[in-house]
Amino acid sequence: MQKIAIYPGSFDPVTNGHLDILERGLKLFDKIIVAILTNPGKKFLFPLEERREMLEVSMKRFSNVEIDTFDGLTVDYASQQNAQGILRGLRALSDFEYEFQMALMNRRLNREVQTVFLMTGLRWIYTSSSIIKQAAQFGGSIKGMVPPLVEKKIREKYRQIPV
Ligand code: PNS
């Protein structure tokens, strides 16, 4: 049986930390579906199509990866896709509370889908889309923390929205 995981997230935008988790996940799963949250109630810096484009370009080197969008419950989307796992990355201690809460709620909602946590590489332990956006917004360098296209797009975005 094919082992399938979904890797859900906002990806606003994708970072090298996300790619690190994906690469590790591909050692465990036959296929990973990167599932971009479309929630219209959430405020994203990048619209869905741009988040998708950045993911597509950044993930070109990986085989067995699909990119899709979803709304509603992650466990429902996972079942629709016949996925056995939900892949999430863990960085510092601060992630734990939110991630455990979400994993336990997801388990309560659907006992057939297992959340699999992978530890990110040490070099990405403090990075997040939010901290990267914050640094870029005020002119800080984010080189090497995000794929080149993402770096370019963040710069362009903050040129359009001056501080
Ligand atoms: O990249 P993020 O923002 O940390 O990803 C969060 C995400 C998309 C995994 C989470 O918000 C989510 O699963 N949203 C869908 C609603 C849901 O199923 N929530 C958890 C159980 S109530």
Side-chain angles (χ1 to χ4, degrees):
M1 188 181 59
Q2 240 207 344
K3 291 262 177 263
I4 303 172
I6 61 158
Y7 182 21
S10 305
F11 302 104
D12 185 37
V14 59
T15 68
N16 285 347
H18 290 127
L19 299 179
D20 176 80
I21 293 296
L22 186 68
E23 197 163 8
R24 290 171 198 278
L26 284 168
K27 296 190 170 120
L28 300 177
F29 292 97
D30 300 312
K31 181 171 100 176
I32 297 182
I33 304 168
V34 177
I36 315 170
L37 181 72
T38 61
N39 188 348
K42 216 171 150 180
K43 211 170 171 307
F44 299 108
L45 177 64
F46 291 98
L48 179 62
E49 276 323 306
E50 283 188 72
R51 286 183 282 145
R52 190 185 186 122
E53 183 203 350
M54 287 184 276
L55 275 163
E56 272 164 5
V57 171
S58 312
M59 291 176 176
K60 254 197 196 126
R61 70 176 193 271
F62 300 119
S63 46
N64 306 329
V65 175
E66 282 174 17
I67 299 173
D68 194 12
T69 58
F70 83 106
D71 201 359
L73 289 176
T74 295
V75 285
D76 290 346
Y77 176 77
S79 307
Q80 279 164 28
Q81 297 299 324
N82 297 315
Q84 300 88 351
I86 295 173
L87 179 63
R88 292 287 289 172
L90 278 182
R91 292 162 303 191
L93 260 184
S94 50
D95 280 343
F96 277 47
E97 196 174 339
Y98 170 61
E99 291 296 337
F100 279 127
Q101 191 181 25
M102 201 158 56
L104 291 174
M105 189 63 191
N106 282 339
R107 186 194 283 168
R108 189 192 163 102
L109 292 168
N110 184 339
R111 303 196 73 80
E112 301 304 315
V113 184
Q114 304 301 324
T115 301
V116 176
F117 292 110
L118 290 179
M119 262 181 74
T120 178
L122 274 181
R123 54 196 296 227
W124 313 118
I125 216 98
Y126 63 96
T127 65
S128 66
S129 299
S130 318
I131 203 91
I132 286 169
K133 282 184 283 193
Q134 205 178 104
Q137 186 177 6
F138 297 102
S141 170
I142 52 165
K143 203 171 174 54
M145 300 175 97
V146 288
L149 172 68
V150 176
E151 188 184 346
K152 181 169 161 277
K153 279 191 153 291
I154 294 183
R155 294 258 167 262
E156 279 169 13
K157 187 69 78 180
Y158 285 123
R159 262 200 295 275
Q160 289 160 17
I161 322 169
V163 182

mmCIF file of all heavy atoms in Angstrom, residues 12 50 98 120 128 163:
data_model
loop_
_atom_site.group_PDB
_atom_site.id
_atom_site.type_symbol
_atom_site.label_atom_id
_atom_site.label_comp_id
_atom_site.label_asym_id
_atom_site.label_seq_id
_atom_site.Cartn_x
_atom_site.Cartn_y
_atom_site.Cartn_z
ATOM 1 N N ASP A 12 3.031 30.946 3.728
ATOM 2 C CA ASP A 12 2.879 32.375 3.399
ATOM 3 C C ASP A 12 4.133 33.159 3.770
ATOM 4 O O ASP A 12 4.094 33.987 4.677
ATOM 5 C CB ASP A 12 1.655 32.921 4.154
ATOM 6 C CG ASP A 12 1.348 34.357 3.782
ATOM 7 O OD1 ASP A 12 1.520 34.711 2.607
ATOM 8 O OD2 ASP A 12 0.964 35.140 4.669
ATOM 9 N N GLU A 50 -0.101 33.047 -5.609
ATOM 10 C CA GLU A 50 1.335 33.343 -5.455
ATOM 11 C C GLU A 50 1.992 32.343 -4.514
ATOM 12 O O GLU A 50 3.127 31.901 -4.733
ATOM 13 C CB GLU A 50 1.526 34.760 -4.925
ATOM 14 C CG GLU A 50 1.339 35.813 -5.992
ATOM 15 C CD GLU A 50 1.713 37.194 -5.493
ATOM 16 O OE1 GLU A 50 2.903 37.484 -5.313
ATOM 17 O OE2 GLU A 50 0.771 37.989 -5.269
ATOM 18 N N TYR A 98 1.084 24.322 20.658
ATOM 19 C CA TYR A 98 0.138 24.468 19.551
ATOM 20 C C TYR A 98 0.065 23.177 18.730
ATOM 21 O O TYR A 98 -1.020 22.691 18.408
ATOM 22 C CB TYR A 98 0.595 25.654 18.695
ATOM 23 C CG TYR A 98 -0.117 25.833 17.383
ATOM 24 C CD1 TYR A 98 -1.488 26.056 17.341
ATOM 25 C CD2 TYR A 98 0.586 25.814 16.171
ATOM 26 C CE1 TYR A 98 -2.136 26.244 16.128
ATOM 27 C CE2 TYR A 98 -0.051 26.001 14.967
ATOM 28 C CZ TYR A 98 -1.418 26.211 14.949
ATOM 29 O OH TYR A 98 -2.060 26.392 13.750
ATOM 30 N N THR A 120 13.040 19.767 12.378
ATOM 31 C CA THR A 120 13.723 20.489 11.313
ATOM 32 C C THR A 120 15.238 20.463 11.555
ATOM 33 O O THR A 120 15.687 20.230 12.674
ATOM 34 C CB THR A 120 13.166 21.933 11.271
ATOM 35 O OG1 THR A 120 13.843 22.619 10.285
ATOM 36 C CG2 THR A 120 13.353 22.662 12.549
ATOM 37 N N SER A 128 10.880 31.103 10.657
ATOM 38 C CA SER A 128 9.450 30.896 10.377
ATOM 39 C C SER A 128 9.091 31.899 9.290
ATOM 40 O O SER A 128 9.798 32.899 9.093
ATOM 41 C CB SER A 128 8.607 31.174 11.622
ATOM 42 O OG SER A 128 8.682 32.545 11.969
ATOM 43 N N VAL A 163 6.841 50.481 4.601
ATOM 44 C CA VAL A 163 6.675 50.408 6.075
ATOM 45 C C VAL A 163 6.043 51.694 6.603
ATOM 46 O O VAL A 163 6.419 52.772 6.184
ATOM 47 C CB VAL A 163 8.071 50.206 6.732
ATOM 48 C CG1 VAL A 163 7.923 50.082 8.238
ATOM 49 C CG2 VAL A 163 8.751 48.996 6.151
#
